[in-house]
Amino acid sequence: MNFAGSLGPRPRNLEVQDLASFDRLVAGGAVDLHGWHAQSLDLRGRSAALKNVSVAGAMFLGCIFDDGMEANLRSRGALIFPRLEGVPFDPYRASLYSPAELYAGLESSPYEELPDARIYHWSIQPGQRHRVDSTLASALHDHAIGDALDELTRSGTWTRRSIVGVMGGHAAPRGSREFAEAARLGRLLALEGHSVATGGGPGAMEAANMGAYLSKASDGDVQGALATLAAVPGFRPSVSAWARAAAAVVERHPDGTPSLGIPTWFYGHEPPNFFATHIAKYFANAIREAILLELCQGGIVFLPGAAGTVQEIFQDACENYYGAREKVAPMVLVGRRHWEQEYPAWPMLRSLAAGRAMADYIHLVDTVEEAVEVLRQR
């Protein structure tokens, strides 16, 4: 976790993630860095301070030093994880992404030149997923994202609000009834005091994050935002136009309610949406899916979807099937016709739940209002 207050003479497992914390600790009399994990710090100009402290057992991940300082630290027992050249991301990052970071330069450059797209294209280069340096960089990155996500959800308002997941089809276009309903769901959940989490992509995921983001806005402002987005229904043929429409909404409403998006570069052809204020983007899709389900202890609402949503339903059902009663979280499927006839997941889910603790936690409703009411009563 970040430095937050005075420490004893020998702190353990302390993550130092910014220079201000490093300087404050050293100025405050820290003489032994054993257990420190310094992440992505530019420590040039701080050689004198580093020479005056014990560094045995300290870890420096992706830091920059004055010439000769890295060898000095190693000789005194520090463990150095070097910066990785040719990698378009920071494997040791200390925080989650923001839309502004992934879409940096959107105002003047096409999406293909922005950080999110550059990272995706790096990840799909021929042989990239089998190269040791690339797989190591990806694994380090995903570990750092998981660490940052854990820190976020254990701090501040996130600990006081239950996290509710919204799963649904990525194909719901802006301007459609499905998109508007998903936005309404996100807004109602946020107004109920929940933190909304989605897969962070387009379609119903974008809509739910948008609804949560604008939960404090007026009905008129929400309708205006939906109209702005409807002018660019999808991210094809232009991700740039799609993202700029969302950025325009965020610019008009800069103080939206925080929500979480957990997308993946494995499906890099689907860009992250602009309304999730905190983005935990992973390379490994399996890790991303498991973490998303694990976080949503307040329950998950499943909107109409196809193969991906069906997979998520039964992945969540498997965890609830084998979980202890206190670990079972509500599952609310929205759309009786969809889940009973078009994609009959409900009959199988009900059969699985029979006689199990999860039987009391599965629900089939017709409207997003009913879904919110179910969660209110849990």
Side-chain angles (χ1 to χ4, degrees), residues 85-247:
E85 301 299 330
V87 176
F89 55 89
D90 180 3
Y92 310 110
R93 62 178 299 115
S95 62
L96 300 181
Y97 292 100
S98 67
E101 181 180 359
L102 289 174
Y103 285 102
L106 178 64
E107 304 83 1
S108 57
S109 301
Y111 170 73
E112 290 73 19
E113 297 177 7
L114 306 187
D116 184 65
R118 292 202 309 270
I119 296 171
Y120 172 57
H121 287 297
W122 171 90
S123 74
I124 61 172
Q125 290 177 13
Q128 195 78 292
R129 289 175 177 161
H130 302 288
R131 290 177 48 179
V132 173
D133 56 344
S134 298
T135 54
L136 177 61
S138 300
L140 287 169
H141 169 277
D142 284 3
H143 172 78
I145 288 294
D147 189 49
L149 182 58
D150 184 66
E151 185 172 318
L152 172 75
T153 56
R154 293 178 183 272
S155 63
T157 58
W158 292 86
T159 61
R160 299 190 295 272
R161 297 164 65 96
S162 63
I163 298 177
V164 172
V166 176
M167 310 291 185
H170 65 274
R174 295 165 170 178
S176 67
R177 177 182 175 277
E178 292 81 7
F179 191 93
E181 286 297 293
R184 179 161 176 75
L185 173 62
R187 190 175 189 218
L188 290 173
L189 289 172
L191 289 173
E192 286 286 315
H194 302 293
S195 291
V196 172
T198 77
M205 294 174 282
E206 180 190 34
N209 283 128
M210 190 213 78
Y213 185 83
L214 295 179
S215 60
K216 297 177 183 177
S218 68
D219 290 343
D221 284 341
V222 173
Q223 292 305 311
L226 288 170
T228 296
L229 296 178
V232 187
F235 62 88
R236 294 187 177 96
S238 173
V239 177
S240 304
W242 178 82
R244 285 172 186 149

Side-chain angles (χ1 to χ4, degrees), residues 4-48:
S6 61
L7 295 162
R10 195 175 171 87
R12 301 282 184 171
N13 298 320
L14 172 66
E15 295 179 7
V16 185
Q17 300 172 351
D18 58 82
L19 281 174
S21 294
F22 177 87
D23 292 339
R24 188 159 57 245
L25 285 161
V26 173
V31 296
D32 188 345
L33 309 194
H34 182 90
W36 285 35
H37 299 164
Q39 295 177 235
S40 298
L41 303 184
D42 186 346
L43 294 171
R44 289 175 293 189
R46 288 167 172 78
S47 293

Side-chain angles (χ1 to χ4, degrees), residues 195-326:
S195 291
V196 172
T198 77
M205 294 174 282
E206 180 190 34
N209 283 128
M210 190 213 78
Y213 185 83
L214 295 179
S215 60
K216 297 177 183 177
S218 68
D219 290 343
D221 284 341
V222 173
Q223 292 305 311
L226 288 170
T228 296
L229 296 178
V232 187
F235 62 88
R236 294 187 177 96
S238 173
V239 177
S240 304
W242 178 82
R244 285 172 186 149
V249 173
V250 170
E251 186 175 2
R252 288 197 295 271
H253 303 278
D255 299 316
T257 299
S259 69
L260 180 63
I262 309 183
T264 173
W265 278 294
F266 185 81
Y267 297 134
H269 57 284
E270 292 184 4
N273 76 69
F274 219 93
F275 296 103
T277 57
H278 298 74
I279 300 176
K281 191 157 191 178
Y282 289 85
F283 287 100
N285 183 53
I287 294 175
R288 162 251 193 176
E289 289 181 339
I291 288 175
L292 179 54
L293 293 175
E294 180 183 348
L295 280 177
C296 297
Q297 291 304 308
I300 297 179
V301 179
F302 297 92
L303 297 171
T309 310
V310 171
Q311 175 188 340
E312 290 160 347
I313 288 173
F314 288 105
Q315 189 171 349
D316 191 26
C318 187
E319 294 190 8
N320 283 334
Y321 183 89
Y322 289 109
R325 177 173 289 275
E326 59 272 17

